[in-house]
């Protein structure tokens, strides 16, 4: 524990250095002044060493932030100050610790030790030791003076003149007690030794007494003999031993057994010699704290003469500490010395502690002046001080904050008691200009030379700024340069300056008074019995006051110092032409300190009889000053998002917000106000403008009248009407005087809730704002029932307030209650009720200001400038012209220059401008331009994504029904969705839901293809999107379009979208249930055979839908449309279309084994009774030019159709298909080979002609492959082994969502993708790359054995059981037999393993683990032991 916060910080810094580097111990410090709160949480977490002040520690103990249960060592620094000045706090802490010790278990061994370090031994310290340090504590005194105080050495003061010293010496010798056998007489002057020897020789008994003489001229041997003689002087004799000694002999003689000492003089150079003198008696001091003073009493006789001016103060302090009486002569002598000292300090300022608190705790040691001097402290007497007013009010501007209560300020205005206002001239500004001009000339810069204390000169810094300074303190030379401490007399503050930078002050500047006036706040002092303010508190006050103007009431004026109380921050409200009190400085700062009620009284007492002071303030006046009504308004936090509502609107540049966080507090306050009958206080209100009051807000049909807090704007005496501004809502009303009541300060405790704001980046569309503009803003911020809409506000700046008195905040308002966030200011601009402000052009279109004007207007560089002009333009015709000009430029620019458009900010400008436009014609032009730039340019698409163009277009589609805008906007999205980053952004902005809604609502033939293409790309990007489209009714609408649309383009893109949606098995079921299969077949039959591209698209979609889906296959078999289609293609049709139809037929005739699609005999035997299938086979044979499948079956021949077909009947197998694996678990290499070869024949992978390949989108020609996956399970785990080599980890993605898994990667130079809909929900445990396989470990949400891996009972060709790791996979539906690896045993692993070995508890692993592997060994190098998730045996 330390006595002050400054001591605590010093100890903390040293302790942190030592403990942090050596002991590795946590160190914390706590003290008052706003620092405790920051350390509460670290203190709860614990520490090994805590440095604290007693007050802070006691508060934290009371608040239960810490306790003393683990306390081992209690160290008190400045223990003498703690026990004397903080007795109550120390006693409370020790009582709590005593209770902790009492409750400690007897067997618990914890070291306990108390230590104290101090500068003085006091009575309070003696009591503390007796009370809390039991046993025999150890006391170490490093000061002989403090040891003498502990021993209670008696001091006898003899006041005499220098000529009477011999007489008083002899009198002192005669009055010595008989027990005083050994006496030492000290002197500090060598010439006095002989005189003393003669006096003592003449007084001593030559027969019995021994007189010794110790001079600083004696040699070493003589001093040794002298010491030996002193030690033997009292042996065998009844007389006394006298030692006459010079101070310099003390170190050699080391006398410790003297009974009394006499100080012949006090001409001491330091207190060390005085302490040494007292040390001559230390042998008789007590050796323990409990020992009483028995035997001889030590005595110190001090002869004080008129020459002991410097030592008299020390003697008085010593006697007071010993609680011994101070002789009256010494008191008078001491008082005279103090008065003389203060008079000699006429050039020294009054003590800062005296001015700040009314007292100086260390007045005996303080070197500043403590008396008021008329010639120095009368305002206006000292020529270099301003003539300060002694009464009335002043307006000041704070220019420097020294600490919490002391500032330097410029006095701007004085209002006398009579009300006369005097505006002071701007002397400071003129002085600053004159100094800069004069000392800017090198010839005028004359060095000041060696400065003296209080010299006034000029300091010119490195930047050439010249300021007047006063030398405040000089220091010793350092590093070859002299430095001085200077005070800035015109700006306040202090700093260290080089002597070489000091210049001589010109004569014309000497007569100008100091411009910085010292200001003190009255009746405030630091907490915790401290006398200095913490740095954190001073910094807080600096941020609050610096540079601000305040109005203060003068309480006292001395010299260049003013004491102001109260000091109030006032603001002028231009809109209502009144002043308001924001806060009083003292009330705001009371949270940092304590009330010092006697401050002014003590200061006036010091001034009594010296200066004429105005009448003293009585208690009532002081209470009235403290009770000045202060109205504080709530504020916005800059750069933070806050929940607000709009309470009142004057215009978009002046409206009022309320925080929703304080809504309940406001309602509770208003309830309390209205329950208290405010009308009883009516008639007592000050009706002057700016006065605070309670006002009855008129009622409406939906609400009753309520009393609210208000401010009076004006008063009409004739009509007795009062114009009131309501502080919590921002409304105004003209009320009768009877509806105005007095308000109390307690009712103003909650800050006023109406926050004055203005919208960012908006300007009036005409010369000024109109009611129509305000109504538009009201509609945007309230619902249809006039109720407040919850908004999000972000304050980006502030300015002077016109209504509330605090600040007006520049805000961005967002409405987040809609599916897409609405920026209110942007919406106002888009609706034509505002335009972009000039200041926003540079921010929104920064490139427009720096564009090279030498470029032709038609070039890409003109786009940004045109966007900026369109943004600022008010004329509709001009705006439309600019939009068309942008569109023309976009169409004229060649595609290679599209990158240059992005680089010069063209894409960014278009995206930002889209958010500020609602005109159909302008939007169409802008979207056309954007379509030109993003076509086949991924970088420009990324730019649209970065610049929030996607969000802006989503908002446009939500609020527009214009066909041309929808067409261009959906075309932008159709092109953006080919970019993966844009797809993610569209999904985040709600674009996918918007597409689905438009798909359902729009019938435009120009819009629907764009929507279908966008949905196709979104479905291809993410399987979650497929599910969302299904759940939003998108599949039903697409099936409807396929069945009903007469437009070939819509039909083609709808079919294409269904194809991509069929990648999800559940979507295939939905398509079949909604009639999508039949619709596709019917439309294929109805299509003109010349439209081979459309027919091909429909058949490819159909093939994807029926693949691995028995229900859809059955729908094809049951449909007559497929028969008709086959009949049509027998004699006509494109060869590529026939090949796709062949694949569909193969799936419908032999879905069990796609590798033998032409084995008609086996199919006929398997399903010979199905006439529909037989017809399909016959039709297929006719299409391929083969023999009839029925004829082949009747002959009983078993040849496959592949032997009968011609060379043109090559089997079609696109890159998206993989053959099913054989049940004998052949290697995955066979699977990879089968994707390119089948039964030794090369498979045709580029089966479309080049012309059709160009027309069809690339995804149709380059689809990802499906990898081989082996799976195994436990009760709580599922493991998938993806059989791939040379996997590129950086291109691998894995997404797990409930029972859906999306896996994609690149390996062996190809793209592989896997989507599985699992039997149950899972979560990801781990992803590990191991040589030839990639392991995916999943945790089951519901433990148990799955009958199969997939949710659907359908079988996928690329899935098989992992026999190497198989444990409990058992799926009757899949009918996969298990073949044990050990041929000697016919039991499975489960049969031989102990029960429970392979059935683990549920394992949860929240982290995604991506492990590195050793490519040479194929093992997981991140695991040193067996992988706990490995399912192998």
């Amino acid at each position: 524990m330390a006595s002050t916060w400054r001591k605590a910080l010093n100890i903390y810094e040293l302790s942190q250095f030592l403990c942090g580097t050596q002991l590795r111990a946590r160190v914390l410090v706590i003290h008052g002044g706003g620092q405790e709160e920051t350390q509460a949480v670290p203190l709860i977490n614990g520490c090994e060493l805590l440095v604290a002040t007693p007050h802070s520690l006691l508060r934290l103990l009371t608040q239960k932030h810490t306790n003393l249960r683990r306390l081992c060592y209690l160290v008190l620094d400045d223990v003498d100050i703690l026990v004397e000045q903080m007795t109550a706090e120390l006693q409370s802490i020790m009582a709590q610790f005593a209770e902790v010790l009492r409750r400690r278990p007897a067997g618990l061994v914890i070291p306990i030790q108390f230590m104290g370090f101090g500068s003085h031994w006091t009575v309070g310290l003696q009591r503390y030791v007796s009370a809390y340090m039991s046993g025999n504590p150890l006391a170490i005194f490093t000061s002989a003076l403090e040891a003498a105080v502990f021993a209670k050495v008696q001091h006898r003061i003899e006041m005499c003149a220098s000529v009477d010293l011999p007489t008083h010496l002899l009198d002192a010798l005669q009055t010595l007690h008989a027990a005083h056998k050994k006496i030492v007489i000290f002197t500090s002057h060598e010439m006095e030794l002989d005189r003393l020897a003669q006096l003592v020789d003449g007084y001593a008994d030559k027969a019995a007494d021994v007189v010794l003489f110790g001079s600083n001229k004696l040699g070493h041997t003589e001093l040794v003999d002298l010491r030996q003689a002193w030690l033997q002087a009292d042996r065998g004799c009844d007389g006394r031993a006298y030692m006459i000694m010079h101070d310099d002999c003390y170190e050699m003689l080391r006398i410790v057994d003297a009974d009394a000492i006499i100080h012949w003089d006090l001409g001491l150079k330091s207190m060390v010699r005085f302490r040494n003198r007292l040390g001559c008696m230390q042998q008789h001091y007590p050796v323990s704290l409990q020992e009483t003073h028995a035997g001889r009493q030590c005595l110190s006789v001090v002869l004080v003469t008129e020459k002991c001016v410097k030592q008299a103060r020390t003697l008085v302090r010593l006697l007071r500490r010993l609680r011994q009486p101070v002789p009256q002569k010494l008191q008078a002598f001491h008082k005279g010395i103090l008065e003389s000292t203060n008079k000699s300090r006429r050039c020294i300022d009054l003590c800062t502690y005296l001015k700040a608190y009314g007292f100086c705790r260390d007045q005996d040691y303080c070197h500043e002046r403590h008396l008021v001097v008329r010639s120095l402290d009368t305002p206006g007497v000292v020529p270099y001080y301003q003539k300060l007013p002694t009464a009335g009010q002043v307006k000041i501007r704070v220019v420097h904050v020294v600490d919490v209560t002391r500032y330097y300020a410029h006095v701007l205005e004085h209002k006398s008691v009579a009300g006369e206002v005097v505006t002071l001239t701007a002397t400071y500004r003129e002085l600053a200009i004159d100094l800069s001009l004069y000392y800017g000339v090198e010839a005028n810069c004359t060095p000041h030379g060696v400065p003296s204390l209080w010299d006034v000169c000029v300091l010119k810094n490195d930047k050439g700024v010249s300021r007047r300074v006063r030398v405040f303190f000089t220091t010793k030379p350092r590093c070859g340069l002299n430095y001085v401490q200077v005070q800035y007399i015109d700006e306040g503050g202090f700093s260290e300056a080089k002597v070489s930078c000091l210049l001589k002050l010109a004569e014309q500047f000497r007569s100008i008074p100091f411009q910085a006036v010292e200001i003190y706040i009255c009746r405030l002092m630091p907490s915790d019995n401290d006398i200095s303010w913490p740095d954190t508190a001073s910094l807080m006050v600096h941020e609050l006051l610096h540079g601000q103007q305040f109005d203060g009431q003068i309480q006292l004026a001395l010299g260049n110092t003013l004491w102001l109380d109260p000091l109030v921050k006032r603001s002028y409200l231009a809109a209502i032409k009144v002043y308001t009190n924001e806060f009083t400085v003292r009330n705001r700062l009371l949270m940092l300190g304590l009330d010092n009620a006697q401050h002014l009284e003590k200061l006036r007492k010091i001034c009594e009889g010296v200066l004429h002071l105005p009448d003293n303030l009585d208690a009532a006046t002081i209470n009235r000053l403290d009770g000045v009504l202060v109205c504080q308004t709530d504020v916005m936090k800059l750069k933070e998002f806050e929940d607000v509502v709009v309470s009142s609107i004057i215009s978009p540049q002046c409206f009022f917000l309320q925080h929703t966080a304080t809504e309940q507090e406001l309602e509770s306050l208003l309830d309390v106000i209205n329950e208290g009958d405010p009308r009883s206080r009516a008639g007592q209100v000050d009706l002057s403008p700016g006065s605070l009051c309670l006002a009855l807000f008129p009622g409406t049909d939906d609400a009753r009248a309520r009393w609210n807090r208000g401010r009076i704007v004006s008063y009409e005496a004739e009509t007795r009407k009062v114009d009131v501004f309501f502080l919590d809502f921002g409304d105004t009303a003209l009320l009768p005087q009877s509806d105005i009541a007095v308000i109390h300060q307690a009712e103003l405790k909650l800050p006023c809730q109406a926050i004055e704001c203005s919208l960012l980046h908006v300007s009036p569309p005409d010369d000024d704002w109109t009611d129509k503009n305000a109504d538009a803003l009201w509609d945007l911020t309230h619902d249809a029932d006039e109720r407040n809409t919850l908004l999000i506000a972000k304050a980006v700046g502030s300015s002077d307030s016109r209504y509330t008195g605090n600040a007006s905040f520049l805000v961005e308002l967002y409405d987040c209650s809609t599916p897409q966030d609405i920026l209110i200011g942007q919406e106002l601009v888009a609706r034509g009720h505002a335009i972009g402000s000039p200041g926003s052009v540079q921010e929104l279109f920064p490139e427009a200001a720096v564009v090279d004007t030498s470029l032709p207007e038609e070039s890409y560089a003109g786009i940004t400038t045109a966007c900026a002009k369109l943004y600022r333009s008010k004329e509709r015709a001009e705006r439309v012209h600019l939009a068309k000009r942008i569109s023309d430029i976009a169409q004229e620019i060649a595609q290679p220059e599209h990158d240059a458009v992005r680089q010069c900010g063209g894409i960014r400008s278009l995206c930002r401008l889209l958010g500020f436009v609602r005109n159909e014609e302008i939007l169409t032009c802008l979207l056309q331009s954007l379509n030109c730039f993003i076509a086949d340019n991924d970088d420009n698409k990324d730019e649209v994504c970065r610049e929030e163009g996607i969000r802006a277009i989503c908002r446009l589609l939500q609020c527009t029904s214009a066909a041309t805008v929808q067409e261009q906007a959906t075309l932008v999205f159709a092109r953006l969705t080919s970019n993966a980053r844009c797809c993610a952004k569209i999904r985040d902005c709600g674009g996918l839901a918007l597409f689905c809604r438009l798909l359902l609502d729009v019938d435009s033939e120009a819009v629907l293809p764009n929507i279908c293409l966008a949905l196709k790309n979104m479905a291809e990007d993410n399987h979650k999107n497929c599910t969302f489209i299904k759940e939003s009714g998108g599949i039903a609408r697409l099936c409807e379009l396929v069945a009903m649309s007469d437009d070939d383009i819509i039909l083609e893109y709808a079919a294409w979208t269904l194809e991509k949606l069929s990648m999800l098995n559940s979507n295939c079921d939905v398509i079949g249930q909604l009639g999508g299969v039949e619709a596709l077949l019917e439309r294929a039959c109805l299509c003109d055979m010349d439209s081979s591209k459309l027919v091909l698209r429909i058949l490819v979609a159909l093939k994807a839908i029926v693949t691995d889906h028995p229900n859809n296959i059955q729908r094809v078999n049951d449909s007559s449309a497929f028969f008709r289609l086959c009949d049509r293609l027998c004699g006509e049709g494109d060869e590529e279309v026939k090949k796709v139809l062949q694949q569909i037929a193969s799936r419908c005739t032999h879905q069990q084994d796609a590798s033998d699609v032409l084995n008609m005999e086996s199919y006929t035997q398997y399903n010979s009774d199905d006439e529909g299938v037989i017809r399909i086979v016959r039709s297929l044979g006719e299409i391929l030019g083969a023999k009839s499948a029925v004829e082949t079956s009747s002959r009983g021949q078993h040849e496959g159709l592949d032997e009968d077909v011609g060379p043109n009947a090559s089997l079609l197998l696109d890159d998206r298909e993989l053959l099913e694996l054989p049940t004998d678990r052949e290697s995955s290499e066979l699977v990879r080979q089968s994707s390119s070869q089948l039964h030794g024949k090369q498979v045709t992978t580029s089966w479309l002609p080049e012309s059709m390949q160009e027309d069809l989108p690339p995804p149709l020609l380059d689809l990802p492959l499906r990898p081989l996956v082996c799976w195994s399970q436990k009760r709580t785990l599922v493991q998938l082994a993806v059989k791939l080599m040379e996997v590129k980890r950086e291109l691998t993605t894995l997404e797990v969502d409930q029972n859906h898994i999306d896996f994609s990667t690149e390996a062996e130079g190809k793209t592989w993708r896997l989507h599985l809909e699992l039997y149950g929900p899972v979560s990801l445990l781990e992803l590990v790359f191991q040589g030839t396989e990639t392991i995916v470990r999943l945790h089951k949400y519901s433990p148990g054995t799955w009958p199969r891996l997939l949710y659907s009972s359908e079988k996928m060709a690329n899935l098989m059981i992992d026999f190497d790791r198989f444990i409990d996979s058992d799926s009757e539906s899949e009918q996969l037999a298990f073949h044990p690896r050990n041929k000697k045993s016919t039991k499975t692993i489960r049969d031989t393993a102990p029960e429970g070995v392979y059935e683990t508890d549920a394992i949860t692993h929240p982290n995604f683990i991506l492990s590195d592997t050793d490519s040479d060994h194929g093992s997981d190098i991140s695991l040193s032991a067996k992988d706990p998730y490995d399912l192998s045996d």
Side-chain angles (χ1 to χ4, degrees), residues 395-401 407-410 412 541-551 567-571 582-583 585 800 805-806:
K395 182 185 293 293
I396 64 170
R397 177 185 290 111
V398 178
V399 295
H400 180 74
V401 175
Y407 327 124
Y408 282 93
H410 293 157
L412 307 177
V541 174
H542 172 82
E543 295 175 352
L544 178 67
L545 307 183
H546 187 265
Q548 301 293 322
Q549 291 186 14
F550 297 90
D551 293 280
L567 186 63
V568 183
K569 171 63 175 174
R570 307 188 68 196
S571 297
E582 291 188 25
F583 62 88
V585 176
D800 293 337
N806 193 335

Side-chain angles (χ1 to χ4, degrees), residues 1309-1320:
K1310 300 178 181 179
T1311 301
W1312 303 80
R1313 180 174 294 175
L1314 174 70
H1315 174 75
L1316 299 177
E1317 188 174 7
L1318 301 183
Y1319 186 81

